[in-house]
Amino acid sequence: MIAAAAVGGRARAQEADVTAVAPENPTPPPPPDWTGRPIAGFDIAGASPGEEPKVQALLATLFPAGTPFVAAGPADQVGQPIGTIPRLRQELDAVGYDATVEARADGGGRLRLQITLRAFQRVRYLFVRGNGTLRQDEIQRRITFRPGRPLPLPGRERDAALERERGRVIEYLRGEGYFDADAHIDLAAVDDVAGGATDVTINVTRGSPYPLGALAVSGNTVIAGDEIDKMFRHRDWQTAWVRPAPFTAKQLRGDLDALAKKYRDRGYFGARVTSDFNVATSVDHAAKTVRLGITVNERKHVSVVFEGNRHVSSGTLKDELTLLDRGSYDDHEVSVSADALERYYEQHGHFFARVDWRREHVSPGEDRIFFEIDEGPELKVRGVSFTGNKALGSDELRDVVTVRTFPLLGHVGLGEGGYVTGRQLEQDAERIVEHYRGLGFPDVKARGEAATSQEALGLVGAIAAAAETVSRQASAIYVRFTIEEGARVILASEDFRSDSGAPLPYDKAFLRGSLTLRPGEPYRVGLLREDSRRLERLMGDAGYPSASVDPDVERTGDKVTLTWVVKAGTRTTVGPIFVRGNFATKQKTILEQIPLRTGDLLTTTAVERGQRNLGFLQLYNNADPLSFPGKDEKRPTVPMVVEVEERYEQYSVVHVGAGASTEQAPPDSVLGIGFYGRVGYENRNLFGNGWNFLSQVQYGQSLLRGNANFLDRRFLGTLFRFDASFSYNRQATARLGDIRSGGGSIGFSRELYPGVDAGIHYNLRNTTHTESLLRPAGPDEAQRTVQLGTTVGSLSTNIEWQRLDNRLLPTRGFKLEATAEIALPVLSIPLRPLPFDVGEDTFLKVAVRSTSVVPLAPWLSLRHGLRYEQGFPFGGAQVLPKVERFFAGGDTTIRGFHLDRARVEVVRFPIFPVDAGAPTTSGLYGVEYRPIGGSVRIIQNIDLQFPISPPWYGAVFMDNGVVADSLDGLSARQFRHGAGIAPLLLKLPIGDLAFAWAWPLDPGPGDTKIGVFHVNIGLLF
């Protein structure tokens, strides 16, 4: 028993020892298994102001009361999570929150989820510091952070993201030659701005740029090492070419390509040029240069000889060889080059051209390749015909094919087509087949053929025979397309059904009326996809965004029955709405643009209009700010998240500048230019409402100008634009002397249809100008001028139809504009209390203006402008008030004439006393040519533009126009004409910048015969 007691005592002692050394915090028990317990609700903390009800509503749609709880598991790590908490966190992440979730029993056998939210910090600004001459936007676009986007959470995830972004910046800097560069990224929370605004600053330490140091060249025997060395060394333009340029990988690639091209130009088509550049070994940090080794593998010298090319120069043919581009000269590549030469000849009318080749081994290091060319005759297409086409006319098919008869002015390069190639015949036959199938001929066949006479068309082997016979002396070729139409298939019936048997949201008559394919009409296979998209869109507008529609087609002979099977999916409504990234724009302004509210059906058209309207504000960089998390899961209710990336230029910007212009030239200027200073203020998101405000003051030698403009692109959330403007001008002019004018305008406009815009405005303006006086001897003879004032109140309306492919740099299309303005004394009442001269002028102005851009040839474009403007004075007046008249002459009307001098009056006045006995032979007279304008202006501008070295273009032009008091008695002899050249026309992103010289073709009194220099920016017309 003693032993037993001892053992027992020892055992107890050991047990006591173990208890004594146990950790203070034992492993917590595993969390309770809540699987299957119903969820009673959510307790939320940390939501942004005003958003807790939205979060509650969001979670209620995802987990309605009573939803069983699902524990997290491994399956949640792949694809769509299944567990309740992972799903909840994913949903909150989509609307801008990180969430900590804890489940607790509510005492009634159910669960309440305790959710602590933390809103993501978001990027407000991206600043760059220390970038020097490197462009800020080049650094900004290297990183993935964007304004309005969330930042990773603080901790490891954020630190890793910042380090990745830092690495991208350093990689870019080293690519620009700054191998000692460093960067770090700072984040600064903006406490006084809601939405977790955080400014990101990229601090750059560039260090010294490393130029190219020692250059070693090996393997070169044809081009000297010194010559190669010069190709790789460049001077830095930013130091006025005094210092060597920084070494960059981009420049290295360009230099290697240039050296390889130089070898190929010398006949070494297979030359290979490589470098040993490696950041780890090539950068010499001690010398602050880059060591570089260039290895040249010259390979064989290849001489190219063309034989038989009588109409095309060897230089032109050499440019067509694929040997140069691909750097290979094996037999396959030589055959490919021969085929390329044949295609070139065919494209230029030599349909029977044949090119063979042979190779001679001159020496181990040199080959000579001969291209034996049989050009054949130049064959111009003189006829294009069709046979077998019964249902479709030949005129319709001519518009389908690309083969064209030789144009009337084709010899001077005007017009399109005129030649044919074998490949073109094949492609046009395919176009005919597609066209027929689109019109209900699914079994159609077509083939194209060509012959040097119409009689030979259709003969077997006609083309091959012609290539070897006397037909090769012909000068014309005829093209014919033979068509086997087959039966035309008719759509016998068209029906609609849902895959589930449920009723559709539209009646069948409405659906049929919405489609292109109709019963009783030809069955066009090509329209199935188009009609399917129409039906899907209709379903989307009924609240089924995930609907799909498939055609079920059955054909019996020439009849087809079509049933559209609709898979509607879940009808979806919009849940709570969250707006993110709007640090400057009010949430109300953003939501005004989106025709969707909580509880609305989620429709395709509403989403598209919302995206479009936000784009119209021109405040955001992202094209698709709307998203609907959960829509792909086909949930019945989904939140709407509006995440915008605000542009920097929406904030206040002050402009200061100075320059010289022709409009600032004083009337007596010899140089023809004057100098000015300018200051302006711009805000594209005034008070966060999306309003534009721009103002500018320009003060110069001849002109003082000030203007302010306000624009609301979406007035009260509607499609109307509201604009108001004010302007003031003070200028010394030739036509009106010293002129002072001020005015304002207020109105509405909107887009009626795509490309069609209309507006109406109320206008007020006051103009005071100087009139010269001729006084006889007497007490008032010293008064030479008088000030006259005119005040006009008017209503104006305009409509514009614009079909230019580019508003600023059009290459084709047209623009048509019509305006009308009526001025009545009653409309100037607001100015009557002010100390202005209030006129009683009543008149109507109408104008029609058109601009057309027509490409005549790949190297020639026609621009044509036509303007008709007329004023109708009322109240007994014969002409418009002088300040309201139309004038012509100058940069934008009739070039070749000085500003406004296309119609002048000649005023002759004595300078020295005149002998009354001999008034015509005594004294000294002065002459003035005063612009008088008129009530009618008609102007035509014709420009022919051609490329010189794009974006450098040239142009020749001719302008015609007239200014008159009325159309009565107007004759062609009254028109003025000017012609000229624009040797320097630069096509810039802001439009054309043209420098031109023009001559008046019918100079009158006061016109210069040597011509006038003109400068114009933007579209002339």
Side-chain angles (χ1 to χ4, degrees):
M1 291 181 66
I2 296 175
V7 172
R10 186 165 53 247
R12 283 193 299 272
Q14 290 175 348
E15 184 176 330
D17 291 342
V18 170
T19 303
V21 299
E24 295 180 1
N25 298 316
T27 303
D33 184 7
W34 303 114
T35 302
R37 293 275 192 97
I39 298 174
F42 311 93
D43 298 321
I44 298 172
S48 298
E51 288 199 350
E52 182 177 340
K54 294 183 181 180
V55 176
Q56 286 279 10
L58 171 64
L59 298 181
T61 62
L62 191 64
F63 304 105
T67 301
F69 182 88
V70 179
D76 295 319
Q77 306 300 318
V78 180
Q80 185 67 24
I82 300 173
T84 297
I85 292 178
R87 287 182 64 196
L88 186 149
R89 296 194 67 210
Q90 182 190 59
E91 190 74 9
L92 292 172
D93 181 271
V95 299
Y97 288 108
D98 176 61
T100 302
V101 185
E102 183 179 354
R104 295 181 181 177
D106 69 348
R110 298 188 301 175
L111 296 178
R112 291 195 69 83
L113 299 184
Q114 311 291 323
I115 302 172
T116 303
L117 300 178
R118 180 170 49 165
F120 290 123
Q121 291 179 286
R122 292 178 179 268
V123 177
R124 185 180 70 153
Y125 288 152
L126 273 174
F127 295 111
V128 180
R129 301 283 186 263
N131 54 305
T133 57
L134 296 176
R135 290 179 52 179
Q136 175 174 292
D137 62 322
E138 286 291 337
I139 296 176
Q140 288 172 335
R141 71 185 185 91
R142 289 311 190 282
I143 67 175
T144 59
F145 292 164
R146 292 291 178 268
R149 296 297 183 181
L151 290 166
L153 293 171
R156 293 181 180 179
E157 184 181 1
R158 176 175 291 184
D159 294 342
L162 291 175
E163 187 60 29
R164 285 194 301 271
E165 304 300 341
R166 174 179 174 271
R168 292 187 178 100
V169 174
I170 292 176
E171 182 181 0
Y172 165 72
L173 294 172
R174 290 177 177 174
E176 294 297 310
Y178 296 91
F179 294 98
D180 289 335
D182 196 5
H184 65 275
I185 300 176
D186 294 331
L187 306 181
V190 186
D191 296 331
D192 59 344
V193 177
T198 303
D199 291 342
V200 179
T201 302
I202 306 169
N203 295 286
V204 173
T205 304
R206 293 185 304 164
S208 300
Y210 282 33
L212 179 64
L215 177 65
V217 184
S218 61
N220 57 307
T221 61
V222 177
I223 302 177
D226 291 344
E227 186 176 352
I228 294 176
D229 188 276
K230 291 179 181 178
M231 294 181 64
F232 284 79
R233 297 190 187 276
H234 307 277
R235 311 300 292 181
D236 187 1
W237 66 270
Q238 296 179 351
T239 63
W241 297 276
V242 173
R243 296 180 181 177
F247 173 89
T248 67
K250 180 180 179 181
Q251 184 64 59
L252 174 61
R253 291 191 296 269
D255 292 341
L256 292 173
D257 291 342
L259 181 56
K261 183 179 184 303
K262 196 165 192 175
Y263 267 100
R264 290 169 187 169
D265 290 342
R266 296 193 181 189
Y268 292 85
F269 296 150
R272 299 289 185 268
V273 183
T274 58
S275 78
D276 63 354
F277 173 71
N278 184 289
V279 174
T281 59
S282 300
V283 178
D284 186 345
H285 290 281
K288 294 190 180 299
T289 59
V290 177
R291 297 185 298 267
L292 190 64
I294 302 296
T295 302
V296 180
N297 182 6
E298 295 177 337
R299 303 175 76 180
K300 280 187 177 184
H301 180 266
V302 178
S303 302
V304 175
V305 180
F306 298 98
E307 298 178 341
N309 54 313
R310 294 176 292 107
H311 294 88
V312 184
S313 68
S314 296
T316 300
L317 294 177
K318 191 174 182 180
D319 291 340
E320 300 299 319
L321 297 178
T322 62
L323 303 173
L324 293 172
D325 295 333
R326 301 180 184 177
S328 177
Y329 51 88
D330 57 20
D331 288 355
H332 170 73
E333 198 59 49
V334 176
S335 296
V336 172
S337 288
D339 293 340
L341 294 177
E342 283 191 2
R343 286 195 301 272
Y344 175 82
Y345 269 103
E346 285 187 1
Q347 291 167 359
H348 291 78
H350 296 268
F351 188 77
F352 295 128
R354 298 293 180 267
V355 179
D356 295 319
W357 65 274
R358 70 180 190 275
R359 183 193 301 268
E360 292 183 2
H361 297 287
V362 179
S363 67
E366 182 173 3
D367 280 1
R368 184 174 292 129
I369 298 175
F370 294 86
F371 288 99
E372 301 171 352
I373 301 171
D374 184 359
E375 292 182 334
E378 179 183 355
L379 301 175
K380 302 178 180 65
V381 177
R382 298 301 185 187
V384 179
S385 60
F386 304 87
T387 184
N389 55 311
K390 300 176 182 177
L392 304 183
S394 296
D395 290 340
E396 180 178 347
L397 295 177
R398 285 191 184 93
D399 292 334
V400 174
V401 301
T402 62
V403 178
R404 298 286 186 270
T405 57
F406 195 79
L408 180 63
L409 299 178
H411 295 286
V412 295
L414 297 179
E416 297 181 352
Y419 300 121
V420 64
T421 69
R423 178 59 179 156
Q424 189 178 11
L425 287 177
E426 295 175 4
Q427 292 175 337
D428 278 351
E430 293 172 1
R431 290 186 179 94
I432 291 174
V433 168
E434 289 302 316
H435 185 69
Y436 263 94
R437 286 177 178 171
L439 296 176
F441 295 86
D443 304 322
V444 65
K445 297 178 182 179
R447 68 178 187 276
E449 56 185 330
T452 54
S453 67
Q454 293 180 334
E455 293 76 14
L457 288 169
L459 299 179
V460 177
I463 294 179
E468 306 297 335
T469 64
V470 70
S471 295
R472 292 174 54 79
Q473 304 302 316
S475 61
I477 191 167
Y478 298 87
V479 175
R480 185 172 72 181
F481 293 94
T482 301
I483 302 164
E484 299 176 22
E485 293 180 335
R488 192 171 209 169
V489 178
I490 301 300
L491 181 62
S493 65
E494 188 174 29
D495 199 7
F496 307 86
R497 66 177 177 84
S498 66
D499 63 330
S500 62
L504 297 175
Y506 304 99
D507 62 65
K508 295 182 179 181
F510 174 81
L511 292 175
R512 287 193 191 95
S514 303
L515 302 182
T516 306
L517 288 170
R518 305 283 179 85
E521 296 182 0
Y523 172 67
R524 293 177 279 180
V525 179
L527 295 180
L528 282 177
R529 183 181 297 273
E530 182 179 333
D531 279 352
S532 176
R533 286 197 294 264
R534 282 197 177 97
L535 289 172
E536 289 173 353
R537 183 179 183 86
L538 286 173
M539 294 299 295
D541 283 340
Y544 297 91
S546 58
S548 64
V549 181
D550 298 311
D552 183 7
V553 181
E554 292 186 7
R555 179 178 174 181
T556 305
D558 59 353
K559 304 293 184 184
V560 162
T561 58
L562 173 61
T563 302
W564 294 102
V565 181
V566 180
K567 299 176 183 178
T570 304
R571 199 168 205 180
T572 305
T573 59
V574 178
I577 299 173
F578 300 87
V579 181
R580 300 289 184 255
N582 56 314
F583 305 116
T585 313
K586 293 178 180 178
Q587 179 170 307
K588 174 181 71 69
T589 300
I590 292 175
L591 294 181
E592 280 181 349
Q593 319 306 316
I594 307 170
L596 285 172
R597 295 294 179 266
T598 298
D600 291 350
L601 288 174
L602 178 58
T603 64
T604 303
T605 298
V607 173
E608 291 177 349
R609 286 180 178 172
Q611 306 276 31
R612 183 197 64 180
N613 294 344
L614 288 172
F616 281 164
L617 291 178
Q618 300 182 11
L619 297 177
Y620 313 114
N621 286 318
N622 49 334
D624 301 313
L626 301 186
S627 63
F628 301 88
K631 186 179 74 170
D632 294 338
E633 303 169 37
K634 301 180 180 179
R635 286 161 35 188
T637 302
V638 294
M640 181 172 75
V641 179
V642 188
E643 191 173 45
V644 296
E645 295 181 16
E646 291 181 324
R647 294 179 179 176
Y648 293 128
E649 62 264 27
Q650 67 172 290
Y651 301 103
S652 299
V653 178
V654 176
H655 303 275
V656 178
S661 68
T662 55
E663 70 174 356
Q664 285 287 358
D668 56 352
S669 170
V670 178
L671 295 176
I673 62 172
F675 299 94
Y676 66 91
R678 178 174 60 85
V679 62
Y681 171 77
E682 179 179 345
N683 193 313
R684 296 185 179 273
N685 194 2
L686 193 64
F687 307 129
N689 290 302
W691 301 336
N692 283 16
F693 178 77
L694 295 91
S695 61
Q696 177 180 285
V697 175
Q698 183 183 118
Y699 181 80
Q701 289 181 271
S702 175
L703 171 65
L704 170 62
R705 171 189 295 153
N707 59 71
N709 297 279
F710 173 85
L711 173 64
D712 181 0
R713 298 180 181 275
R714 301 273 298 160
F715 182 69
L716 298 180
T718 67
L719 295 178
F720 286 93
R721 301 187 302 273
F722 170 75
D723 63 272
S725 62
F726 170 79
S727 63
Y728 174 80
N729 289 277
R730 189 185 71 199
Q731 185 177 15
T733 68
R735 73 183 186 192
L736 297 173
D738 293 333
I739 182 174
R740 288 178 174 82
S741 65
S745 173
I746 185 171
F748 295 90
S749 56
R750 64 160 292 178
E751 185 181 53
L752 302 179
Y753 303 98
V756 179
D757 206 86
I760 183 169
H761 288 80
Y762 169 63
N763 315 286
L764 271 176
R765 54 184 178 268
N766 174 268
T767 305
T768 302
H769 68 282
T770 303
E771 285 286 353
S772 299
L773 298 177
L774 295 179
R775 292 288 189 178
D780 297 327
E781 63 179 317
Q783 184 179 356
R784 298 295 182 183
T785 61
V786 65
Q787 295 287 326
L788 300 178
T790 303
T791 298
V792 171
S794 67
L795 285 175
S796 62
T797 182
N798 71 286
I799 185 167
E800 178 186 287
W801 186 17
Q802 201 270 124
R803 280 293 181 266
L804 297 174
D805 59 349
N806 186 305
R807 285 181 176 270
L808 298 177
L809 294 173
T811 60
R812 63 178 66 242
F814 67 89
K815 180 176 74 173
L816 184 64
E817 180 183 14
T819 63
E821 179 184 19
I822 184 165
L824 300 171
V826 68
L827 296 176
S828 64
I829 287 178
L831 290 179
R832 301 206 172 197
L834 301 176
F836 295 139
D837 295 322
V838 178
E840 296 296 328
D841 298 299
T842 304
F843 56 83
L844 171 67
K845 282 184 175 181
V846 295
V848 178
R849 305 177 185 91
S850 71
T851 300
S852 301
V853 182
V854 181
L856 301 177
W859 54 271
L860 189 64
S861 175
L862 169 68
R863 286 192 178 184
H864 178 267
L866 184 63
R867 283 175 274 183
Y868 161 73
E869 296 150 310
Q870 185 169 4
F872 301 91
F874 300 139
Q878 299 299 314
V879 294
L880 292 175
K882 192 169 185 179
V883 296
E884 297 293 336
R885 296 178 195 170
F886 301 106
F887 293 81
D891 298 342
T892 60
T893 52
I894 306 177
R895 290 162 289 184
F897 297 86
H898 286 292
L899 182 64
D900 300 333
R901 294 185 181 274
R903 187 189 188 204
V904 299
E905 65 174 345
V906 181
V907 179
R908 186 170 178 265
F909 55 92
I911 297 177
F912 289 120
V914 179
D915 184 355
T920 60
T921 59
S922 64
L924 180 63
Y925 288 83
V927 177
E928 286 186 356
Y929 305 100
R930 298 179 182 173
I932 58 174
S935 299
V936 177
R937 179 170 67 180
I938 302 173
I939 293 176
Q940 176 183 245
N941 306 99
I942 301 174
D943 283 43
L944 290 172
Q945 296 185 357
F946 47 87
I948 297 176
S949 179
W952 176 17
Y953 286 70
V956 295
F957 56 83
M958 183 174 183
D959 299 336
N960 312 281
V962 65
V963 176
D965 292 330
S966 70
L967 295 175
D968 295 337
L970 185 64
S971 66
R973 290 184 301 174
Q974 294 175 254
F975 278 75
R976 311 300 301 275
H977 311 277
I981 59 172
L984 181 57
L985 191 157
L986 300 176
K987 291 189 175 293
L988 306 176
I990 61 172
D992 292 350
L993 173 59
F995 299 87
W997 192 269
W999 297 268
L1001 300 183
D1002 46 2
D1007 296 330
T1008 174
K1009 296 182 179 181
I1010 63 172
V1012 179
F1013 177 64
H1014 297 282
V1015 180
N1016 190 68
I1017 299 177
L1019 285 177
L1020 176 64
F1021 324 120

